[in-house]
Amino acid sequence: MKKLVLLTAALILAASSAAFAASVLLPEPDRGGGPSVLEAIALRASAEQKNFAKDELTQEELSTILWAASGKNREPKGWTVPMAMGREPYVSIYVLLRKGGFLYSWEKHALIEQSDEKRLPSGAVTQDFAKTAPCVLVFVSSGMMNVENFSYIATGAMSQNVYLAAQALGLKARFVESFNRLKIESSLNLSPVAKITGVMLVGRQ
């Protein structure tokens, strides 16, 4: 019995260590750089349908993009985008990078590894130019019935913030409709009730 307890404790510790190792804390987002909001709106444009540069986003750029999309911006609760009935964000952001797939945790401002599949972005989208994007953001609704009607509204607000943050950082973003739904769902082990509400490319051109 004692051996069983020790083995169980060891397994729990190993699982906790693995989960901790798979979490990547992001640096503080840039809340004051770049043009004004109105200037960013005036300059906002979707990325062209041409290849992205090979450079990956820096940790600081990724931090700012994700915080703008659904990060915490005030206490005791409040986010950079509106959520129905004051709920915590019910649309999650999955981040597909060339080193794997991650879930953005607004609570910890961190990336939680979901898949170590390499070059996941190129397999998640279908158009040739889109396959060159170093970062693909996947918006996923929780599937909760009482907020489902608001999920697309939230996704619209989140994606617009990504556009404006990307513009401020000198990056390019594009909302795309052509993506490999089954590939994304299987690679990220999404819940059967979860629903992909949008996919965006982010990078340099």
Side-chain angles (χ1 to χ4, degrees), residues 8 16 22 49 56 70 86 95-96 106 109 113 123-124 132 140 153 157 160 198:
T8 303
S16 299
Q49 295 191 48
E56 296 196 46
S70 68
V95 186
L96 310 185
W106 58 264
H109 193 56
E113 187 177 53
T132 66
V140 178
I153 297 173
Q160 181 71 337

Side-chain angles (χ1 to χ4, degrees), residues 7-38:
L7 177 60
T8 303
L11 290 173
I12 292 172
L13 180 60
S16 299
S17 299
F20 180 78
S23 299
V24 180
L25 290 176
L26 294 167
E28 281 294 305
D30 181 357
R31 294 180 172 89
S36 71
V37 173
L38 294 180

